[in-house]
Amino acid sequence: MCGIVGFIGKKQAAPVLLDGLAKLEYRGYDSAGLAIRNGNELAEVVKSQGRLKILAEKTDNGNALVGTCGIGHTRWATHGEPSRTNAHPHVSGNCTGTGSGQVESEVVGVHNGIIENFTELREKLLKHGYTFYSQTDTEVVIKLVDYYYKKYTHDPQEAIAKTMVRVRGSYALCLMFKSYPGEIWVARKDSPMIIGIADGETYVASDVPAILKYSRNVYYIGNLEMAKLTEGTATFYNLDGDQIEKELTEIKWNAESAEKGGYEHFMMKEIHEQPRAVADTIHSVIKDNKIDLSSIGLEEEQIKNISQIYIVACGSAYHTGVVTQYVMEDLAKIPVRVELASEFRYRKPLLDKNGLVIVVSQSGETADTLAALRLAKDKGIKTLAIVNVVGSSIAREADNVFYTLAGPEIAVATTKAYSTQLIAGYILAMQFALVRNEIDEDKLAQLITELRTIPQKIEKILEDKERMQWFAAKQVNAQDVFFIGRGIDYAVCLEGSLKMKEISYVHSEAYAAGELKHGTISLIEDGTLVISVLTQSSLYEKTVSNMVECKSRGAYLMGLTTYGHYGIEDTADFTVYIPKTDEHFAASLSVVPLQLMGYYLSVSRGLDVDKPRNLAKSVTVE
Ligand code: M6R
């Protein structure tokens, strides 16, 4: 999704903006641009299509643009094709060519999000004599700010407030006004934005990694709020123009965690960070062999009264929900429904008033998941969010928050956040089971002891990663791959298949092994790779039978099971073993070889592992 960075201070702005935008590249983009202002002089806009390095080359790494105040943007096309003209910043007045050069206009700005009523607003502005140069909704919103600015009191705050009332949709807006040098104005609704303060400097960004190097002290700007940024200060306003007081929050992530640290790709670095991330998440709520959910705010009485759990999420976060469903129902005996947030929000769900809606999200900004959370709250259902990004919209709006401690995840393909979400799910299931007397203290202690071994078992799997590298290289020409498993193994197959698809562009499907016969098996041909996951002993024989069915139709079989199940070698052509664990936690181990498989296949095919085509890290639009 799009990225925003803004800076005002004593040093040159352009290099800071380019550096910040580079930190947001992982979010996905197709073009980029900067607007820099030098004191009272007019702003200078430079835009380019394609990678950020083109913009950097064009501006001599920012050195060609003089000025200590500026805004920058990486665009991920929604309205209008990827092009230099559609790239941000956009301006309120007339522009020539693709919109680069000195800006006579009153307003210049960048925007993340989607303006839903942009056609209607465009019509209105056309009638008032405005001309449009791009196909974007952003140009409409910038011109609308200009329209209200000129119509009323030439006050940025009032013009922005009037615009916010008039537009529908989501936005993080970052604007400069010609008549107000030394100021950047920002506003947001349903699109992330943070403001960082350092000595005499103010930063604004759509995501933490962009400013982490410069400032750890941030303000979270709320929905339907705006702010005036000057050197080292931020003044916040609500829609009525009243000033709002805010507290600075310290970001605990360190800057190194947002760098590659010697790995070729962020994804491999993050795969290797899993033992640490999992251990940190476990230790955040397990102390002295007891689970302490007080930081999350879940009361025992509340846990006892839960009639039904709804887990709602998207993508990999949804997959962790599927694992949690199996574990929660088995341990705590609470009925669980897992739902895709994009479906949940529109299907008019009938929710039990004593139910608990658990939303799961790494970014805490996924538009569908946020909408699902709001829907649950509107219906008066208690909500709990499992979130990685502190201060994100979902974290702020949920009744209770279980923070995963994965640290910043940069690769588009999630790995460590997925693993920590699994841990959060297990811990909730274990504690709910204890409180509801489905397990006793001894069983809990046994589960905790086992859970604590997961980080070192992941380490052990990673020590043998070259085996997956070798196997993946052999599959470089694979066309279709099937993942099969039952129960928790099926849930892991969903994730293994997504990892393969999203970064190696190989078509793959995950199937509940017993479902294969109901149609999909007709796709198995000579040499089709079928990856089977078998970590659940009660389902082992059943899945082996399904593997045999595939093999007799020509499939090439990979079996992924636990040490000890050596009989698998009679059926599988290639076998991967993972350490034994309590079977409830098996997904935490079986997913690792599948992450490696996706990674190495992508590398073998010469693809951009961290920034797969068409994808964005955080999907903040529907
Ligand atoms: O930030 P979220 O966890 O809400 O994101 C949800 C999905 O977009 C995400 O898990 C996506 O499927 C992953 N990038 C897949 O690796």
Side-chain angles (χ1 to χ4, degrees):
M1 296 285 113
C2 308
I4 287 179
V5 187
F7 171 76
I8 179 159
K10 296 274 180 262
K11 57 188 175 225
Q12 291 300 305
V16 174
L17 301 186
L18 284 172
D19 181 53
L21 290 175
K23 299 284 185 318
L24 300 183
E25 278 192 292
Y26 72 96
R27 293 168 65 99
Y29 69 101
D30 49 59
S31 51
L34 301 174
I36 304 294
R37 196 139 186 219
N38 190 20
N40 291 332
E41 288 175 24
L42 296 176
E44 177 91 19
V45 171
V46 184
K47 310 203 266 189
S48 66
Q49 193 184 341
R51 290 292 193 212
L52 197 59
K53 69 172 194 234
I54 301 172
L55 185 66
E57 277 162 16
K58 230 172 161 175
T59 59
D60 184 21
N61 291 317
N63 296 319
L65 294 170
V66 177
T68 57
C69 174
I71 55 180
H73 191 262
T74 44
R75 172 174 187 255
W76 190 83
T78 55
H79 295 66
E81 61 186 8
S83 71
R84 196 131 64 96
T85 308
N86 286 335
H88 304 200
H90 287 283
V91 300
S92 59
N94 297 334
C95 62
T96 48
T98 53
S100 290
Q102 269 209 335
V103 173
E104 294 280 354
S105 310
E106 180 59 47
V107 190
V108 53
V110 297
H111 159 234
N112 284 1
I114 287 186
I115 305 301
E116 288 165 8
N117 55 340
F118 89 105
T119 317
E120 163 207 334
L121 296 172
R122 198 170 197 269
E123 293 301 315
K124 169 190 166 78
L125 291 165
L126 281 170
K127 279 189 202 136
H128 285 281
Y130 284 87
T131 307
F132 288 89
Y133 300 88
S134 76
Q135 301 151 299
T136 64
D137 52 346
T138 303
E139 193 182 357
V140 175
V141 79
I142 304 291
K143 289 189 156 111
L144 191 66
V145 173
D146 182 74
Y147 168 75
Y148 287 125
Y149 178 85
K150 289 178 176 148
K151 182 168 180 185
Y152 295 103
T153 54
H154 290 71
D155 174 4
Q157 186 271 316
E158 192 178 0
I160 297 170
K162 290 218 157 36
T163 305
M164 289 165 82
V165 172
R166 193 67 174 78
V167 297
R168 283 201 311 276
S170 59
Y171 49 83
L173 271 173
C174 194
L175 310 167
M176 294 192 293
F177 290 76
K178 185 171 84 177
S179 311
Y180 290 81
E183 294 180 8
I184 294 176
W185 283 81
V186 297
R188 86 170 269 270
K189 176 177 173 275
D190 294 344
S191 203
M193 182 180 256
I194 51 157
I195 290 152
I197 303 286
D199 192 18
E201 298 178 335
T202 303
Y203 299 82
V204 55
S206 51
D207 205 354
V208 178
I211 61 169
L212 207 51
K213 187 164 139 191
Y214 307 102
S215 170
R216 283 296 159 67
N217 296 317
V218 302
Y219 289 115
Y220 293 107
I221 174 164
N223 247 354
L224 292 171
E225 289 177 0
M226 63 201 110
K228 175 172 83 174
L229 314 182
T230 56
E231 290 178 8
T233 69
T235 315
F236 295 87
Y237 304 92
N238 64 18
L239 277 182
D240 296 329
D242 300 329
Q243 218 169 299
I244 314 167
E245 291 306 319
K246 280 191 188 278
E247 298 268 308
L248 275 174
T249 305
E250 194 195 341
I251 299 216
K252 302 273 195 278
W253 292 352
N254 62 30
E256 292 72 49
S257 54
E259 308 286 344
K260 275 192 210 152
Y263 288 91
E264 202 180 335
H265 299 102
F266 278 111
M267 182 176 174
M268 186 48 100
K269 175 178 177 248
E270 289 162 4
I271 286 174
H272 278 270
E273 284 173 346
Q274 290 181 110
R276 199 268 314 139
V278 163
D280 286 355
T281 305
I282 293 172
H283 295 144
S284 69
V285 286
I286 297 187
K287 295 181 185 105
D288 304 328
N289 255 9
K290 290 212 176 336
I291 296 174
D292 176 5
L293 298 184
S294 57
S295 59
I296 295 159
L298 280 177
E299 307 289 336
E300 290 206 352
E301 216 37 51
Q302 195 186 332
I303 296 171
K304 280 186 187 145
N305 289 332
I306 297 170
S307 56
Q308 162 89 45
I309 292 174
Y310 309 89
I311 303 179
V312 191
C314 300
S316 298
Y318 166 82
H319 297 160
T320 68
V322 181
V323 175
T324 301
Q325 176 187 42
Y326 287 109
V327 180
M328 182 69 79
E329 290 194 336
D330 195 48
L331 287 179
K333 311 284 184 251
I334 306 176
V336 180
R337 273 186 79 136
V338 195
E339 303 219 28
L340 293 166
S342 53
E343 289 295 310
F344 180 86
R345 63 182 292 191
Y346 291 121
R347 76 167 180 81
K348 305 190 183 95
L350 301 174
L351 304 178
D352 192 305
K353 67 175 181 1
N354 293 321
L356 172 69
V357 169
I358 303 180
V359 292
V360 189
S361 176
Q362 186 285 128
S363 61
E365 301 292 351
T366 300
D368 286 323
T369 312
L370 181 59
L373 169 72
R374 288 179 179 163
L375 186 145
K377 289 189 74 178
D378 283 351
K379 287 178 176 278
I381 313 296
K382 198 92 186 142
T383 57
L384 164 66
I386 297 175
V387 182
N388 193 42
V389 178
V390 176
S392 55
S393 301
I394 291 176
R396 279 182 288 157
E397 294 188 27
D399 297 320
N400 302 97
V401 183
F402 188 144
Y403 279 114
T404 52
L405 300 187
E409 192 178 62
I410 307 293
V412 166
T414 181
T415 51
K416 59 175 180 168
Y418 171 93
S419 286
T420 56
Q421 288 163 357
L422 287 181
I423 297 296
Y426 304 153
I427 290 174
L428 290 174
M430 286 154 63
Q431 184 65 359
F432 287 10
L434 181 79
V435 170
R436 295 164 72 104
N437 294 321
E438 294 295 342
I439 60 171
D440 58 19
E441 298 278 357
D442 287 349
K443 178 67 186 170
L444 180 72
Q446 202 184 313
L447 287 168
I448 288 176
T449 305
E450 188 53 39
L451 194 65
R452 287 186 198 276
T453 68
I454 296 291
Q456 82 213 39
K457 288 177 179 167
I458 296 176
E459 299 263 18
K460 185 155 172 40
I461 297 169
L462 290 175
E463 279 166 19
D464 201 19
K465 64 176 190 271
E466 282 73 21
R467 189 167 157 72
M468 287 314 298
Q469 182 175 19
W470 171 83
F471 182 68
K474 280 183 43 163
Q475 306 304 323
V476 69
N477 294 319
Q479 302 275 321
D480 301 290
V481 178
F482 293 88
F483 289 75
I484 60 169
R486 291 167 179 261
I488 288 173
D489 294 333
Y490 165 58
V492 170
C493 285
L494 292 170
E495 180 62 6
S497 170
L498 181 61
K499 287 284 91 74
M500 181 167 287
K501 276 186 274 230
E502 66 180 335
I503 52 173
S504 67
Y505 315 154
V506 172
H507 167 250
S508 74
E509 303 276 350
Y511 270 89
E515 182 65 14
L516 209 63
K517 283 202 268 304
H518 299 279
T520 312
I521 202 161
S522 63
L523 292 170
I524 307 288
E525 296 175 347
D526 263 357
T528 305
L529 175 61
V530 176
I531 298 178
S532 316
V533 185
L534 313 91
T535 67
Q536 307 293 300
S537 45
S538 63
L539 301 167
Y540 179 85
E541 297 297 343
K542 301 269 176 214
T543 304
V544 170
S545 301
N546 299 128
M547 290 170 73
V548 172
E549 286 160 9
C550 293
K551 192 166 193 171
S552 60
R553 281 148 183 97
Y556 182 74
L557 296 179
M558 170 178 146
L560 170 55
T561 187
T562 42
Y563 284 107
H565 283 118
Y566 302 119
I568 194 73
E569 291 181 27
D570 297 339
T571 309
D573 300 292
F574 176 74
T575 312
V576 177
Y577 295 106
I578 53 169
K580 280 205 172 108
T581 183
D582 183 289
E583 290 182 3
H584 294 102
F585 308 148
S588 290
L589 304 184
S590 56
V591 76
V592 180
L594 303 183
Q595 295 169 341
L596 292 169
M597 178 75 191
Y599 173 84
Y600 284 124
L601 193 54
S602 176
V603 171
S604 308
R605 291 163 70 95
L607 301 172
D608 190 345
V609 177
D610 286 335
K611 295 189 280 290
R613 67 184 180 204
N614 305 337
L615 292 182
K617 177 66 180 163
S618 153
V619 184
T620 51
V621 292
E622 286 193 60

